[in-house]
Amino acid sequence: MKQTALNFLYKYGALLVILFVLLYFSYAVPYFFTYDNLTDILRSISIVAIVAIGVTFSLIVDGFDLSVGSTVSLTTVLTASLMVWYEQPLAIVIFAALLAGAMIGLLNAFLIVKVGIPDLLATLSMLYVIGGVQKTYTQGYSVYNKMPLPDGTTAPGVLSPSFLWLGQGKLFGVPVPVLILILLVVGVHLLLKYTRFGRMLHMIGSNQEAARLSGIPIYSMRTWAYVFSGLFAALGGILFAARVGSGQMDAGAPLLMESVAAVFVGYSVLGAGKPNVIGTFFGAVLIGILLNGLTMLNLPYYAFDIVKGLVLILALAVTYLHVRRKKRT
Amino acid sequence: MALLEVRNLSKTFAGSPGVIDVNLSIQSGEIHALIGANGAGKSTLMKLLSGAYQGDQGEIYLNGQRVVIENPVHGKELGIHCVYQEVDTALVPSLTVGENLFLDCLPLIINWKTLFREAEEVLQKLNFPLDPKRKIDSLTLVEKQMVLLAKAFMQNAKIMIFDEPTAPLSGPETKILLQQICNLKEKGVGIIFISHRLQEVFALCDTLSVLRNGQLVLNRSVSATSPEVVVEAMFGEKRADGFVKKTASVGDPLLQANHLSDGGRVKDVTFQLRKGEILGIAGLVGAGKTELARLLFAASPRQQGDILWEGNPMYFSSPKQAIEAGFALVPEERRGEGLFVNESIRANLTLPILKTIAPWGWIRRQKEREHGQKIVDALSIKASHLEFPVERLSGGNQQKVVIGKWVGSDTKVLLLDEPTKGIDVQAKKELFYLLEELVAQGISIVYFTSEMDELAAISDTIYILYKGHITKKLGKEEMDPQTILYYASGGTNQDETDSA
Ligand SMILES: Nc1ncnc2c1ncn2[C@@H]1O[C@H](COP(=O)(O)OP(=O)(O)OP(=O)(O)O)[C@@H](O)[C@H]1O
Ligand SMILES: [Mg+2]
């Protein structure tokens, strides 16, 4: 009896919490449950969610990537500066940012897979290196249209309208970043669940030695996981620049924590018990709803970290308590 | 009055009966065997008694008193101790035998002299030939088991339960362990002994119970029954006699291994494998069988020597390349190296053939299920459905998954490292028939084991591995378990010295 109740909670708990929070805010905040506000929430979480998809990849192979936040920061200023300082066309800008993300992923993978540094420590170091590169590159300034340059002139370029559309525009009444997010969630879900590639990633995460002895190329597969992590962070960075219309310093710093929280909330969505994209999406939704609702309830922004931290603790507690319970029975 | 009595104990899982309505009683100083096919419910019953599981129904009495065992720690306090197969997890490898014995009750300030003296006393009382000052990681498996035995005895164990303790042991080691269990019996401990080896059950135990699909179907004193009766009870019907190998024709030479060394346990190993041959590699635990298997599979680096495939040198440096060349390995360590315990039976079984069921990268679910189901049927893996997580399978059924994974792949040389660990007599026979079928298809098999009777039954040729060296090659006519064991324990060749 107790068992079934616990299992039910584990399976549907996360979704029930989301539902409950939705209902509560709809009741407490009059403007909350409107189409505009709900799309607003989705728009606000789209970047975190995309970064979190990347984190999902690294967690699936039983790794971890702490450097995603800095990667977002770097690619944000990179995108903005390529347009504002160097007047590059959109295609090149996006390509360059994605390339930067992929290179960071490769470097992470090199440190972890080839050199053998534990994932947390390797990506922690990379977090600082990338953050430093970002600051050095912009000399500590944010990048915006017509900004003054060190030599006294103004920057020649601007963030083009078609670029800003990526972050601010709408298609069929749905914000573009939300559409991108949904496409990615569906695509990655199919990739992870129904392809050989995805299966191999999962098997590595489940038992690396057994995977190796089954002929899975574990080194290259783990490398792919980190490359995906970097790519998704870069995409997050591009969308960030497009959304705010400038390249803000350290834009990605808060995203690390939020995306990790989203992934761990995702562990318990539908009782998956392991990283999964659909869960990650709902995890990001939960965080988005909470932050949005609390803003409307006038909770001061500096208290938000407490809420985010608590959500992460709760998600981790559910996940690990479940692991322990499973071990005992 | 019985030391332990179980009345109407039941525990069911969704989809499978674990243990149904079992009645059992054990006296002090009795060794009681628990027997049953894979998945019959033996481990479940043991977990119920140790407190790891809670029964749905039924009662447990200790010395006539009803007890509710809440968890394994509580079970130990009551005097019920389990020795699980993974002995390593229960010991601290970097500490000495003495420290491990007293680990749960170390005082704040340790007086080493008294600690070792007391440890010595306990070991002597039990007649265990162990030095309390040795480090755990220098011990053999059976010695580690002894430490656990002594520890349980020290903590006033009244009941000790062993779940397949002899499965990973070779013949001589088994003898040692059984001797130690007898010593415990003399001290009045009640013992439950789970094993798939009827021989040792009949040699060691006083009484036996047979479980079938969770139900107790036979409960007798050992002297009043026979192996045939027990096997019939296990499966609910008479079984044809043991496995008899067909005289198969072995083909041309396929693989030649020359002077292989791994810089560690494997030393200068040379042998030849022919097409469709079952080649036995006999050796005691620690002889280097696992290391040799891993070396052939390129799971560990080769330091010296070469491997020729139909006369051509082969170069491969990873299991992936070995698999592409046609090798497959069933590793000895099933949990650590063979299984993906969190994944389903389906995902475990179809991993080696993903390329064929996902030609463009997209897995064809229908094909995948068909393949999985085929193997489940072929090896009679006992599970309610294909999506069942491997973690919840019984030990023997997990072993079948590890083997079944390679059935139907493009394997040409199958390396089996102790493949019958934990599987029941019937499954063993089925495995042998399967191997026969495989060699008939032209697959070659290298069979690494310390089970000499298995080798005698199935091999075409046997090489003896002793301390990393191949010391002897046995042909069909010289194969009997005693001879194999004689050479595997380091016996030298009398004939040769005579003629020399
Ligand atoms: N946690 C669980 N959830 C669901 N089914 C379980 C669970 N644990 C065991 N089972 C099932 O209960 C049955 C009995 O398992 P058990 O491990 O007791 O068998 P066993 O007699 O020890 O077999 P073996 O000789 O293979 O070790 C099996 O069918 C197994 O799949
Ligand atoms: Mg068992």
Side-chain angles (χ1 to χ4, degrees):
Chain A
M1 191 53 230
K2 201 174 131 206
Q3 287 284 334
T4 36
L6 274 176
N7 280 336
F8 179 84
L9 265 187
Y10 182 66
K11 198 151 186 202
Y12 298 106
L15 292 180
L16 284 177
V17 169
I18 294 179
L19 196 68
F20 172 78
V21 172
L22 257 181
L23 288 176
Y24 173 73
F25 283 132
S26 314
Y27 163 78
V29 187
Y31 171 72
F32 183 84
F33 204 81
T34 58
Y35 181 77
D36 278 351
N37 191 48
L38 290 182
T39 44
D40 223 43
I41 291 178
L42 281 178
R43 189 214 302 274
S44 71
I45 63 150
S46 54
I47 292 170
V48 183
I50 287 172
V51 177
I53 294 176
V55 176
T56 312
F57 272 95
S58 61
L59 277 166
I60 282 179
V61 295
D62 198 19
F64 209 100
D65 189 352
L66 288 173
S67 70
V68 287
S70 314
T71 307
V72 172
S73 306
L74 177 67
T75 47
T76 301
V77 295
L78 182 67
T79 348
S81 67
L82 282 178
M83 281 189 256
V84 174
W85 296 351
Y86 304 112
E87 299 174 276
Q88 293 298 316
L90 187 57
I92 293 203
V93 171
I94 291 178
F95 177 75
L98 291 178
L99 187 69
M103 295 312 288
I104 290 171
L106 271 180
L107 197 55
N108 276 329
F110 173 77
L111 295 177
I112 296 163
V113 176
K114 279 272 181 251
V115 183
I117 305 175
D119 43 31
L120 281 173
L121 299 176
T123 53
L124 179 68
S125 323
M126 284 295 286
L127 181 161
Y128 281 95
V129 173
I130 302 163
V133 168
Q134 171 224 193
K135 291 191 190 97
T136 313
Y137 175 63
T138 61
Q139 297 179 347
Y141 295 107
S142 292
V143 182
Y144 47 91
N145 289 347
K146 304 283 178 233
M147 69 185 284
L149 293 178
D151 60 8
T153 58
T154 21
V158 291
L159 297 172
S160 65
S162 50
F163 176 70
L164 294 178
W165 178 80
L166 285 176
Q168 303 168 1
K170 280 191 176 184
L171 202 64
F172 317 116
V174 185
V176 177
V178 175
L179 282 178
I180 296 178
L181 170 63
I182 289 172
L183 279 179
L184 288 175
V185 168
V186 173
V188 172
H189 175 72
L190 295 178
L191 177 75
L192 288 176
K193 196 140 189 205
Y194 297 103
T195 68
R196 195 159 76 90
F197 180 81
R199 178 69 63 79
M200 292 199 284
L201 289 181
H202 278 296
M203 296 311 248
I204 289 173
S206 171
N207 185 343
Q208 187 172 314
E209 181 62 9
R212 187 173 82 97
L213 294 180
S214 304
I216 294 180
I218 51 170
Y219 291 142
S220 60
M221 292 313 275
R222 285 170 72 207
T223 301
W224 273 111
Y226 286 102
V227 168
F228 270 105
S229 181
L231 273 175
F232 279 91
L235 189 58
I238 296 170
L239 291 178
F240 202 105
R243 163 119 143 266
V244 298
S246 62
Q248 296 292 321
M249 284 295 304
D250 283 334
L255 291 184
L256 168 62
M257 158 71 190
E258 289 175 24
S259 55
V260 170
V263 179
F264 276 97
V265 171
Y267 271 46
S268 42
V269 168
L270 293 178
K274 51 186 175 191
N276 66 100
V277 197
I278 306 284
T280 298
F281 172 76
F282 281 109
V285 168
L286 175 65
I287 293 170
I289 293 174
L290 274 176
L291 296 186
N292 179 283
L294 293 174
T295 314
M296 290 185 164
L297 288 176
N298 291 325
L299 187 81
Y301 73 91
Y302 40 78
F304 279 13
D305 278 354
I306 304 178
V307 177
K308 289 186 219 164
L310 288 177
V311 171
L312 181 56
I313 289 177
L314 190 69
L316 290 171
V318 170
T319 306
Y320 286 104
L321 279 176
H322 186 74
V323 169
R324 255 184 55 190
R325 210 164 56 86
K326 248 175 68 180
K327 275 218 179 101
R328 270 198 289 124
T329 55
Chain B
M1 187 176 26
L3 175 60
L4 174 82
E5 195 176 343
V6 172
R7 285 193 205 147
N8 307 97
L9 194 61
S10 292
K11 164 92 186 168
T12 49
F13 300 106
S16 67
V19 163
I20 305 166
D21 202 23
V22 165
N23 290 290
L24 203 66
S25 80
I26 288 156
Q27 310 293 331
S28 143
E30 171 184 345
I31 305 184
H32 189 105
L34 199 55
I35 301 169
N38 292 132
K42 304 179 295 296
S43 299
T44 307
L45 181 56
M46 146 166 169
K47 285 178 186 158
L48 284 167
L49 291 176
S50 70
Y53 285 168
Q54 299 302 317
D56 304 334
Q57 265 168 39
E59 296 119 49
I60 300 171
Y61 295 84
L62 261 181
N63 289 317
Q65 290 238 302
R66 167 127 198 237
V67 289
V68 176
I69 307 163
E70 319 219 321
N71 53 48
V73 176
H74 183 213
K76 273 189 187 174
E77 282 165 14
L78 291 169
I80 303 179
H81 286 248
C82 287
V83 179
Y84 292 95
Q85 238 182 49
E86 294 88 29
V87 287
D88 287 299
T89 53
L91 296 168
V92 185
S94 57
L95 297 183
T96 59
V97 171
E99 287 165 287
N100 268 282
L101 283 179
F102 288 93
L103 201 59
D104 300 336
C105 49
L106 276 184
L108 211 53
I109 298 163
I110 303 170
N111 182 340
W112 293 103
K113 246 179 146 170
T114 38
L115 185 141
F116 284 125
R117 204 191 57 232
E118 283 175 23
E120 182 91 59
E121 275 169 20
V122 173
L123 292 171
Q124 253 168 23
K125 211 186 213 165
L126 289 169
N127 276 323
F128 285 6
L130 267 182
D131 178 359
K133 287 189 182 145
R134 274 176 69 192
K135 285 244 174 72
I136 293 294
D137 48 16
S138 73
L139 300 185
T140 63
L141 193 54
V142 66
E143 288 172 327
K144 287 180 193 166
Q145 288 177 325
M146 277 189 223
V147 176
L148 282 182
L149 256 62
K151 191 170 162 182
F153 178 72
M154 254 178 49
Q155 296 175 353
N156 280 323
K158 297 194 194 86
I159 299 275
M160 285 197 67
I161 311 176
F162 295 88
D163 197 354
E164 301 187 34
T166 56
L169 300 182
S170 57
E173 288 183 310
T174 303
K175 262 199 201 128
I176 300 174
L177 181 71
L178 297 189
Q179 183 55 48
Q180 313 310 342
I181 293 179
C182 281
N183 289 341
L184 281 175
K185 165 195 164 95
E186 265 149 41
K187 298 279 177 293
V189 179
I191 289 157
I192 299 181
F193 182 82
I194 302 178
S195 174
H196 286 294
R197 299 179 181 166
L198 292 182
Q199 258 180 353
E200 60 192 35
V201 164
F202 276 82
L204 175 78
C205 304
D206 305 306
T207 43
L208 62 79
S209 291
V210 177
L211 286 177
R212 184 168 79 229
N213 290 328
Q215 279 166 315
L216 191 74
V217 289
L218 187 76
N219 182 295
R220 289 237 179 107
S221 88
V222 167
S223 52
T225 180
S226 68
E228 291 71 42
V229 174
V230 170
V231 171
E232 192 181 334
M234 280 170 75
F235 299 103
E237 60 191 34
K238 270 222 165 57
R239 289 283 162 171
D241 283 340
F243 168 80
V244 184
K245 187 174 158 67
K246 280 187 264 179
T247 40
S249 55
V250 175
D252 300 330
L254 176 71
L255 194 85
Q256 174 74 41
N258 290 324
H259 309 292
L260 298 179
S261 300
D262 69 350
R265 281 248 173 86
V266 181
K267 293 162 190 144
D268 196 27
V269 167
T270 298
F271 67 86
Q272 189 191 59
L273 174 69
R274 289 168 296 168
K275 218 170 171 183
E277 180 178 35
I278 301 184
L279 180 74
I281 306 271
L284 301 183
V285 172
K289 299 186 303 291
T290 296
E291 290 77 5
L292 177 58
R294 287 176 65 88
L295 187 123
L296 288 170
F297 194 59
S300 49
R302 192 193 314 164
Q303 199 130 84
Q304 258 166 38
D306 49 18
I307 300 175
L308 305 177
W309 183 280
E310 291 175 336
N312 306 312
M314 296 186 92
Y315 303 99
F316 51 82
S317 56
S318 69
K320 180 172 187 281
Q321 289 168 1
I323 289 168
E324 282 158 3
F327 285 79
L329 170 70
V330 171
E332 181 182 15
E333 271 292 322
R334 68 168 167 249
R335 261 190 105 80
E337 299 176 345
L339 286 178
F340 302 85
V341 286
N342 297 320
E343 303 287 337
S344 63
I345 297 176
R346 169 184 52 77
N348 269 275
L349 287 179
T350 55
L351 189 58
I353 57 137
L354 270 187
K355 267 210 178 99
T356 34
I357 52 172
W360 304 98
W362 188 265
I363 297 172
R364 297 202 217 147
R365 309 281 280 182
Q366 183 60 27
K367 271 201 163 168
E368 185 183 18
R369 270 193 299 268
E370 279 167 14
H371 180 82
Q373 193 60 49
K374 220 170 64 198
I375 298 175
V376 165
D377 294 341
L379 293 175
S380 32
I381 294 171
K382 196 183 164 205
S384 44
H385 51 90
L386 269 181
E387 300 305 314
F388 202 72
V390 163
E391 191 165 34
R392 295 200 205 133
L393 285 176
S394 78
N397 284 301
Q398 290 183 351
Q399 182 65 22
K400 293 184 196 171
V401 171
V402 184
I403 299 169
K405 166 166 140 179
W406 296 108
V407 176
S409 64
D410 295 330
T411 304
K412 298 193 189 79
V413 175
L414 181 57
L415 310 168
L416 300 168
D417 192 1
E418 300 286 4
T420 56
K421 204 168 156 182
I423 67 178
D424 65 46
V425 280
Q426 178 63 20
K428 197 182 283 189
K429 211 160 70 187
E430 279 166 17
L431 172 68
F432 284 180
Y433 283 121
L434 177 75
L435 296 185
E436 222 166 33
E437 218 173 282
L438 293 179
V439 289
Q441 293 163 20
I443 294 175
S444 307
I445 292 171
V446 189
Y447 195 106
F448 301 81
T449 188
S450 57
E451 307 283 337
M452 308 314 173
D453 46 343
E454 288 176 15
L455 284 180
I458 189 110
S459 320
D460 296 305
T461 317
I462 294 177
Y463 285 89
I464 307 284
L465 192 66
Y466 177 69
K467 293 193 171 161
H469 295 279
I470 297 278
T471 52
K472 177 85 184 157
K473 179 180 175 184
L474 296 177
K476 205 72 222 165
E477 54 300 334
E478 304 165 89
M479 282 179 198
D480 67 282
Q482 276 75 34
T483 315
I484 306 172
L485 181 60
Y486 171 75
Y487 289 113
S489 337
T492 46
N493 198 330
Q494 251 113 41
D495 302 349
E496 249 168 48
T497 39
D498 285 352
S499 56

